[in-house]
Amino acid sequence: MAARSHVQDPNDRRLRPIYDYLDNGNNKMAIQQAEKLLKKHRDLHCAKVLKAIGLQRTGKQEEAFVLAQEVAALEPTDDNSLQALTILYREMHRPELVTKLYEAAVRKVPSSEEYHSHLFMAYARVGEYKKMQQAGMALYKIVPKNPYYFWSVMSLIMQSISAQDEKLSKTMFLPLAERMVEKMVKEDKIEAEAEVELYYMILERLGKHEEALEVIRGKLGEKLTSELQSRENKCMAMYKKLSRWPECNALSKRLLLLNSDDWQFYLSYFDSVFHLIDENWTPPAEGPMSLEGNLDHTIEQAVQFIEDQIAADSKNLRPLRGPYLAKLELIQRLRQRGCNDEYKLGEPEDLMFQYFLKFGDKPCCFTDLKVFVDLLSSSQHSSFINRLLGSLPLSPPAEGDVALPTDIKAMHRHLCVVQLSRLLGLSYKMEKAQKQDAIREIILRYRQGLQFGKSCLKTELQFSDYYCLIGAHILMDLWTNGEDWAVWQCLALLEEGLSNSSSNAQFKLLLIRIYCALGAFEPAVELYASLDAKHIQHDTIGYLLTRFAAPLGHYTAASQSCNAALRFFHSNQKDTSEYIIQAYKYGAFEKIPEFIAFRNRLNNSLHFAQVRTERMLLDLLLDANINSAYVTDRHPSVPLA
């Protein structure tokens, strides 16, 4: 609750100390101040509600509810009382009572824009889409502003999404929403980008892709300016759904000529080329090849286009990754179709080696190449890695020593080779002694690499952290193969890594996994707390802790972990409602179905179900009141000896 910055009337001045106490968490003083004020001004309803808020926050929920209902029964229309009651009902998790509050206020003051908009948002919190539609239209009639009209339209779409009967959705709700928007289009009243987005969403859901394409390509499409290439992306989506591959190809090609590093358009380009080939498409005798201009419809043209992109990029001072990866992608697709040998694009090993020479000093090089390593045969794995190692700019080693990198870029290149080597499975083929030698070398490289990160802040990761991670994983391989000593060395290595890079989440997650496997739960709790998991992370990584707590006998810690996870899941419903309201306020209509889907996914989360069940079992174990005398009488203890 925000403190009042200025005094508007005498009541505001009287209430201000109570607001301040509540804002500062001094609930007892807020209650006392409210009681003093009520003795002098019995009809000051807001003071009674503020007292109820103080009672609610001190755990006296029943008294707070009685006071709130006393005020609500009077159907107040002053802004202070309504806002205070809204806050109280939210804290009570009773949003349905807010709707009744504003329904009464709207009945008393039917011309109030503010109360009507509050009523709409109250319906949004409880998902009353039909009433939202009616409230939106009532608001538009009072104040004819476009946003209010489109609130009503979006509420129709939400009715269609939530309808159990899909036929009803497509025959009643969506067509009605379409007619409402078309009315505004005919009257030339479309003003904002959000309104065009909403029209597009309706047509897309109705399967009217031709009409949606006309809207995007027409005058209304010119309003789509907030996102880069928003209009082109929507056109591309419609071309794909309509199987208009010539336009899809021409548009992809045009966008790639503007930006040859945009990977999504390479994928669209290749998809469309192969669809055109499969359909035996031929260009028309007269006129343009497509609405979007010229296109490529044969493999030869696709190969030439990629070669031209690479040739154009070779002139740039700063080379782009897209054209080189596109060549590997084309080889992969041609191989899948069994026709790679006809087109001399080059050997994948040579192309990947050339790519490494160009971009190996970038951390992204490994993630780029790992998608294409299946182009190498198993017999090429060792030779490819040796070839990469031979190209590394390492300092010449002394006798018996290891060749080490002299700068960060050289270290990134070596790290990329080590990661590729593990990805190709070479570390799994090593003998035990070879693995131990590899671990010693990796630890040496990790410690030597720390010199490059001396100027890093505590919150930044060390450049050589990946050496530590790979060494830990090799040690874990040895541990799973029965070498018990390896797990202790792995723990020591990861703890050393964490001391040098205290923000490295991968170190912490791996340590949690190992400690729990060893039955040491307390260090795992501290590590998880240091991760400072936020929001959805309670679902995505929370299971690492909760699934081990009770089996390892740490029932109190298990209870706390489950409670932390459940707080997130329970707040999800309330938080999502607030996101939906903000989306309505700012016209981000396309996000509203995404928020609803997100909420449903969380409600159906397996982790949520497991934590909820685990919490019930822990309640039975920790809080159940069992009569020990009753148990002893009927089940006497059996002597151990």
Side-chain angles (χ1 to χ4, degrees):
M1 187 186 303
R4 303 305 175 92
S5 59
H6 61 279
V7 178
Q8 295 176 332
D9 57 41
N11 283 342
D12 272 358
R13 191 181 67 251
R14 295 179 186 119
L15 294 168
R16 186 170 180 177
I18 309 175
Y19 283 118
D20 290 340
Y21 284 131
L22 289 172
D23 285 340
N24 296 326
N26 197 341
N27 298 311
K28 289 184 179 179
M29 284 300 297
I31 295 168
Q32 291 175 16
Q33 190 70 27
E35 287 172 346
K36 285 180 185 177
L37 191 56
L38 284 167
K39 286 177 182 177
K40 295 179 182 177
H41 305 276
R42 291 181 178 277
D43 296 331
L44 192 53
H45 305 313
C46 185
K48 191 177 282 191
V49 182
L50 294 176
K51 179 184 174 183
I53 291 173
L55 290 169
Q56 169 72 18
R57 292 178 181 177
T58 52
K60 298 176 181 177
Q61 286 88 353
E62 290 183 9
E63 292 179 48
F65 185 69
V66 170
L67 277 177
Q69 291 306 91
E70 285 177 13
V71 177
L74 300 172
E75 298 185 351
T77 55
D78 64 291
D79 192 44
N80 286 335
S81 298
L82 289 171
Q83 285 188 12
L85 278 168
T86 301
I87 291 167
L88 177 60
Y89 287 146
R90 276 191 215 165
E91 292 186 8
M92 289 179 168
H93 305 293
R94 298 289 299 274
E96 71 280 358
L97 296 177
V98 180
T99 61
K100 294 177 182 177
L101 199 63
Y102 279 103
E103 282 170 359
V106 164
R107 279 196 302 271
K108 285 190 171 182
V109 192
S111 60
S112 170
E113 178 186 1
E114 183 183 359
Y115 291 168
H116 274 281
S117 63
H118 280 307
L119 178 60
F120 180 90
M121 297 308 174
Y123 286 141
R125 283 193 179 90
V126 294
E128 291 275 5
Y129 302 125
K130 176 69 176 173
K131 290 182 178 178
M132 286 166 67
Q133 179 201 344
Q134 295 166 348
M137 284 310 297
L139 190 51
Y140 181 69
K141 286 173 184 175
I142 296 166
V143 187
K145 294 179 182 176
N146 271 24
Y148 299 150
Y149 186 88
F150 284 93
W151 284 4
S152 184
V153 174
M154 185 64 216
S155 301
L156 271 170
I157 297 174
M158 293 311 298
Q159 287 180 69
S160 78
I161 291 171
S162 60
Q164 300 292 329
D165 186 355
E166 191 176 343
K167 186 178 178 183
L168 181 68
S169 168
K170 294 208 170 178
T171 56
M172 190 173 92
F173 297 124
L174 288 174
L176 178 55
E178 183 188 12
R179 286 196 297 274
M180 287 178 71
V181 180
E182 282 177 348
K183 177 177 178 290
M184 298 294 276
V185 173
K186 287 173 184 174
E187 294 174 5
D188 198 23
K189 289 184 178 178
I190 299 290
E191 298 172 353
E193 179 180 2
E195 296 158 15
V196 181
E197 293 267 14
L198 191 57
Y199 192 20
Y200 173 82
M201 189 196 305
I202 294 166
L203 294 172
E204 188 179 21
R205 287 182 177 275
L206 281 168
K208 295 186 175 183
H209 301 135
E210 286 284 1
E211 291 87 339
L213 186 60
E214 287 175 19
V215 168
I216 300 303
R217 286 179 58 83
K219 186 180 177 183
L220 290 175
E222 294 173 5
K223 296 183 183 293
L224 301 173
T225 56
S226 66
E227 291 182 24
L228 186 66
Q229 296 173 332
S230 172
R231 196 176 184 184
E232 289 83 356
N233 284 327
K234 284 179 169 55
C235 281
M236 189 79 76
M238 289 301 102
Y239 287 144
K240 287 179 179 178
K241 287 184 178 179
L242 291 165
S243 296
R244 290 173 61 168
W245 301 114
E247 283 76 13
C248 183
N249 182 272
L251 179 58
S252 301
K253 184 175 179 180
R254 176 158 59 83
L255 292 168
L256 285 170
L257 289 171
L258 293 173
N259 178 9
S260 62
D261 208 33
D262 200 323
W263 186 248
Q264 62 172 329
F265 295 128
Y266 279 113
L267 299 179
S268 298
Y269 175 80
F270 291 137
D271 288 341
S272 56
V273 165
F274 289 117
H275 275 291
L276 291 170
I277 292 167
D278 293 338
E279 293 171 6
N280 295 318
W281 185 87
T282 53
E286 296 180 358
M289 296 177 77
S290 74
L291 284 174
E292 298 287 353
N294 292 333
L295 59 111
D296 297 333
H297 58 95
T298 64
I299 294 176
E300 291 89 346
Q301 289 174 330
V303 171
Q304 189 57 50
F305 176 67
I306 298 301
E307 294 288 1
D308 291 344
Q309 292 289 85
I310 291 172
D313 182 71
S314 63
K315 298 173 185 175
N316 293 337
L317 293 174
R318 185 183 176 190
L320 301 174
R321 293 148 51 216
Y324 302 94
L325 291 172
K327 195 170 187 179
L328 288 165
E329 175 71 18
L330 182 55
I331 291 172
Q332 194 170 54
R333 293 191 181 217
L334 288 169
R335 278 202 179 177
Q336 289 166 0
R337 297 169 69 89
C339 55
N340 182 42
D341 293 338
E342 294 179 43
Y343 307 96
K344 303 302 181 185
L345 285 163
E347 278 296 318
E349 183 182 339
D350 295 334
L351 295 174
M352 290 167 76
F353 178 70
Q354 293 300 322
Y355 186 85
F356 177 80
L357 293 180
K358 278 184 177 294
F359 305 105
D361 57 349
K362 299 182 186 297
C364 62
C365 183
F366 168 69
T367 52
D368 288 344
L369 289 179
K370 76 174 185 179
V371 183
F372 302 108
V373 291
D374 59 343
L375 293 173
L376 301 172
S377 64
S378 56
S379 60
Q380 291 178 299
H381 291 174
S382 296
S383 61
F384 176 61
I385 295 298
N386 289 332
R387 191 175 176 187
L388 295 180
L389 286 170
S391 70
L392 296 176
L394 302 176
S395 61
E399 188 177 348
D401 285 343
V402 175
L404 297 170
T406 54
D407 57 27
I408 294 174
K409 289 188 175 183
M411 189 183 72
H412 277 313
R413 286 183 177 278
H414 187 269
L415 255 177
C416 180
V417 178
V418 173
Q419 288 173 289
L420 284 169
S421 173
R422 182 159 177 82
L423 178 68
L424 293 170
L426 299 184
S427 64
Y428 298 102
K429 298 174 185 175
M430 293 179 182
E431 298 294 330
K432 177 183 170 182
Q434 291 176 309
K435 285 184 178 180
Q436 289 176 297
D437 290 341
I439 291 163
R440 277 192 287 272
E441 181 184 332
I442 285 171
I443 293 173
L444 174 66
R445 291 185 181 280
Y446 165 66
R447 289 170 179 163
Q448 186 265 344
L450 292 174
Q451 65 178 308
F452 302 127
K454 285 180 180 177
S455 61
C456 289
L457 300 174
K458 285 187 176 180
T459 52
E460 293 178 326
L461 305 185
Q462 289 289 328
F463 297 110
S464 61
D465 277 356
Y466 270 103
Y467 282 125
C468 186
L469 271 176
I470 292 168
H473 279 289
I474 296 174
L475 284 164
M476 286 185 71
D477 293 342
L478 286 167
W479 181 36
T480 53
N481 290 331
E483 301 293 336
D484 291 340
W485 58 268
V487 69
W488 305 110
Q489 189 174 346
C490 181
L491 280 175
L493 178 59
L494 287 170
E495 290 287 2
E496 180 186 346
L498 197 57
S499 67
N500 293 317
S501 188
S502 58
S503 297
N504 194 309
Q506 292 191 62
F507 289 165
K508 293 176 183 179
L509 291 170
L510 202 52
L511 279 167
I512 289 171
R513 178 180 158 193
I514 295 170
Y515 278 126
C516 287
L518 292 171
F521 187 69
E522 287 185 14
V525 174
E526 292 175 14
L527 286 163
Y528 186 81
S530 70
L531 282 169
D532 196 19
K534 301 280 192 226
H535 201 50
I536 190 64
Q537 290 174 324
H538 287 295
D539 185 45
T540 54
I541 63 174
Y543 75 94
L544 288 170
L545 199 68
T546 55
R547 68 173 179 168
F548 288 111
L552 292 175
H554 293 261
Y555 301 120
T556 304
S559 179
Q560 292 168 354
S561 302
C562 290
N563 285 340
L566 286 172
R567 273 196 297 274
F568 160 67
F569 286 113
H570 290 153
S571 67
N572 165 48
Q573 192 80 17
K574 182 180 73 173
D575 292 346
T576 308
S577 297
E578 295 305 316
Y579 304 151
I580 292 168
I581 286 168
Q582 294 303 314
Y584 270 107
K585 281 183 180 177
Y586 296 106
F589 298 119
E590 75 280 2
K591 297 297 176 189
I592 294 172
E594 293 178 22
F595 290 142
I596 299 293
F598 176 74
R599 179 171 65 192
N600 293 339
R601 283 190 65 186
L602 278 179
N603 288 340
N604 296 322
S605 163
L606 177 61
H607 182 49
F608 183 25
Q610 288 174 328
V611 169
R612 191 169 47 198
T613 307
E614 193 73 34
R615 186 73 191 85
M616 292 176 190
L617 294 171
L618 286 165
D619 284 343
L620 284 172
L621 183 66
L622 297 173
D623 300 331
N625 184 14
I626 299 173
N627 190 323
S628 57
Y630 177 87
V631 175
T632 307
D633 290 345
R634 285 157 181 75
H635 305 281
S637 59
V638 178
L640 296 174

